[in-house]
Amino acid sequence: MLNVFPDLLTYSLLAPFLIRISLGLIFIYFAYLKFSTERERKTLFFEHIGLKPGIIFVWIVGAVELIAGVLLVVGLYTQIAALAATALMSAAVVIKLRHKNALPNDAAFYILLSIASLSIIFSGAGFFAIDLPL
């Protein structure tokens, strides 16, 4: 079947760019919450699921989220950052399915973020990135 708007395919690298920036900003926001307003709540969450001491895991997960988010926004080591984001969101899906009230968002939200991260791994960084396809 023919594309309705074939001229728009010229801008096909815009889609991974938009996904990458959105995903990066979400992960930076997640890290901000872990390092500021929700630190105590997240510490209790990690201890509730059996990861003790919880504060260590808050710092580790927050650091990974912050680094992955910044790398995604900048477009540097994009596939590695997206791989870390996919792992974090896949773990969040599993935790949400096992402990219904453990995480604030719905499982569908974490599945969507996981799939968006996975799509960046396969599609690349898109426009305005430091990463260059070989």
Side-chain angles (χ1 to χ4, degrees):
M1 175 159 215
L2 296 175
N3 286 316
V4 178
F5 303 110
D7 292 336
L8 291 179
L9 295 177
T10 304
Y11 304 104
S12 63
L13 291 176
L14 190 61
F17 165 71
L18 294 172
I19 294 170
R20 175 176 58 88
I21 295 298
S22 301
L23 200 59
L25 292 175
I26 288 170
F27 274 90
I28 290 170
Y29 178 69
F30 283 170
Y32 167 75
L33 290 178
K34 281 185 183 56
F35 292 142
S36 62
T37 58
E38 293 189 3
R39 185 181 318 153
E40 291 299 321
R41 194 170 79 91
K42 293 297 180 183
T43 301
L44 293 174
F45 159 73
F46 282 115
E47 290 180 356
H48 172 71
I49 63 171
L51 299 173
K52 295 179 183 179
I55 191 67
I56 299 293
F57 288 97
V58 168
W59 284 99
I60 291 171
V61 172
V64 171
E65 287 174 344
L66 181 63
I67 292 168
V70 169
L71 289 176
L72 285 169
V73 168
V74 172
L76 181 64
Y77 299 113
T78 306
Q79 289 177 312
I80 295 170
L83 185 64
T86 302
L88 285 173
M89 291 301 98
S90 298
V93 169
V94 171
I95 290 169
K96 184 65 177 180
L97 294 176
R98 289 188 180 170
H99 307 280
K100 301 288 186 208
N101 297 324
L103 295 170
N105 298 307
D106 193 33
F109 176 70
Y110 299 116
I111 292 170
L112 181 64
L113 289 179
S114 180
I115 291 171
S117 302
L118 194 61
S119 75
I120 294 298
I121 293 172
F122 292 113
S123 69
F127 282 142
F128 309 113
I130 297 171
D131 287 349
L132 295 175
L134 297 176

